[in-house]
Amino acid sequence: MTAEPEGAAPAALTRLLVPAGLLASVAGAFAYVGAVDPNEPGHYPACPLLRLTGIYCPGCGGLRSAHAFVHGDLTAALGANALAVAGYVLFAAVWTVWVAAAVRGRPLRITLGPVQLWGLGALIAVFTAARNLPFGSWLHP
């Protein structure tokens, strides 16, 4: 049986402070959106792009999506903003990998090259264009 170096547990806990803080912030934001319904007018500001142009931005419906997600209504969350739901799932996966790396004392390294960044930009652009065209009306929030 090998003894762990003195201070190993506090060091591991220290490495988890930032991921825990981020999770607490995100959980607090989701709790607020879950408690204050964005479907009722007057609680949140309207999207300026939608208000000025009538065009849905990639984030339009994100608050309604988060509200539905918090309440366990995945269908409504996907209907409000499917890209946002994908973002919630991606955040959870990256956060989990981050915590696992922090526990092992390793830094989280996510390297996105030009191909991945252009691909992400293209995905967001296609989603935005599709939700503003007649055939993509099912993507409207």
Side-chain angles (χ1 to χ4, degrees):
M1 179 149 98
T2 60
E4 288 198 23
E6 195 171 318
L13 289 176
T14 301
R15 289 190 302 266
L16 292 174
L17 285 177
V18 174
L22 179 64
L23 181 63
S25 299
V26 170
F30 268 78
Y32 181 80
V33 173
V36 181
D37 190 355
N39 295 303
E40 295 179 18
H43 292 294
Y44 300 97
C47 173
L49 183 67
L50 180 61
R51 176 174 271 175
L52 294 173
T53 66
I55 295 173
Y56 294 107
C57 76
C60 279
L63 288 174
R64 286 176 286 220
S65 175
H67 180 79
F69 194 82
V70 167
H71 289 276
D73 190 353
L74 189 58
T75 304
L78 286 166
N81 191 323
L83 193 61
V85 174
Y88 310 150
V89 173
L90 181 63
F91 171 81
V94 170
W95 186 87
T96 303
V97 170
W98 185 17
V99 168
V103 166
R104 292 183 179 102
R106 297 181 181 139
L108 176 66
R109 298 215 191 273
I110 298 174
T111 306
L112 298 177
V115 171
Q116 290 88 5
L117 293 173
W118 279 102
L120 180 61
L123 174 70
I124 293 169
V126 168
F127 175 76
T128 304
R131 73 189 322 208
N132 285 290
L133 295 172
F135 69 83
S137 63
W138 60 278
L139 293 171
H140 290 179

